[in-house]
Amino acid sequence: MKKVVTLALILAVGIAFTACGGQSMGGQVKGDTFVTEGWVTPDIFRVTSVGVPKPGLTNKIQRQGTAKEAALIMAEKRIIEKFVGARLEGAAGAADYASTGIAVAKEFSGVVKGGTIVRSTYDKDDNCEIVYQIERKGLRSSVEGGATK
């Protein structure tokens, strides 16, 4: 079931980004510079993700709520994937990459779940784009250097 939902979400995001015409999401507010992806400081990491409303809902508030929740889940997933990838690159001699990935996911799951949405926007179809931020002292060195708790 999760695979079906994930596939549907990925397809919807792809359609949202490639559809012709209409209001586009994202972009830059005039005069405002804002880091939306990557390391902001050695303690702060951000990702951008998009979520779509649950099919069948007609209430605008419910549609936007489910879209924001989907975007949040995708943001958390993207951060874990990026951190696991960084740690695996650092552990080039590791015998069991799957175990390393699971350990990294467990190590960072608390900080990832404790992140905040620093910006959210909706398009005319109630799709939601968020900028999700996590923060922890020494986060970058923990991710890239392989330091554990």
Side-chain angles (χ1 to χ4, degrees):
M1 182 65 182
K2 284 184 179 183
K3 288 182 181 180
V4 172
V5 172
T6 303
L7 180 61
L9 185 59
I10 291 170
L11 289 173
V13 170
I15 291 169
F17 282 129
T18 60
C20 296
Q23 177 185 359
S24 64
M25 296 185 69
Q28 183 179 15
V29 178
K30 258 193 174 168
D32 185 17
T33 57
F34 186 75
V35 177
T36 59
E37 288 275 338
W39 293 103
V40 178
T41 70
D43 300 333
I44 299 173
F45 186 80
R46 288 184 183 159
V47 294
T48 304
S49 67
V50 177
V52 297
K54 183 178 178 182
L57 293 177
T58 56
N59 180 301
K60 185 170 188 73
I61 294 170
Q62 288 178 331
R63 288 177 54 79
Q64 287 183 346
T66 58
K68 191 172 190 176
E69 186 176 330
L72 175 63
I73 291 167
M74 287 302 296
E76 291 172 346
K77 183 178 184 292
R78 287 192 61 215
I79 290 174
I80 290 292
E81 287 173 349
K82 286 180 181 284
F83 286 5
V84 167
R87 187 64 68 82
L88 288 178
E89 285 178 16
D96 187 359
Y97 288 111
S99 295
T100 304
I102 291 168
V104 172
K106 285 181 181 178
E107 179 181 348
F108 291 108
S109 66
V111 71
V112 170
K113 295 278 185 199
T116 56
I117 296 173
V118 293
R119 208 172 261 192
S120 61
T121 56
Y122 297 92
D123 67 7
K124 64 179 175 38
D125 297 322
D126 297 324
N127 296 316
C128 180
E129 180 181 53
I130 66 166
V131 176
Y132 188 69
Q133 171 178 300
I134 61 170
E135 185 171 358
R136 183 173 86 182
K137 186 158 182 67
L139 181 62
R140 187 173 192 158
S141 62
S142 294
V143 172
E144 294 176 351
T148 56
K149 293 181 183 178

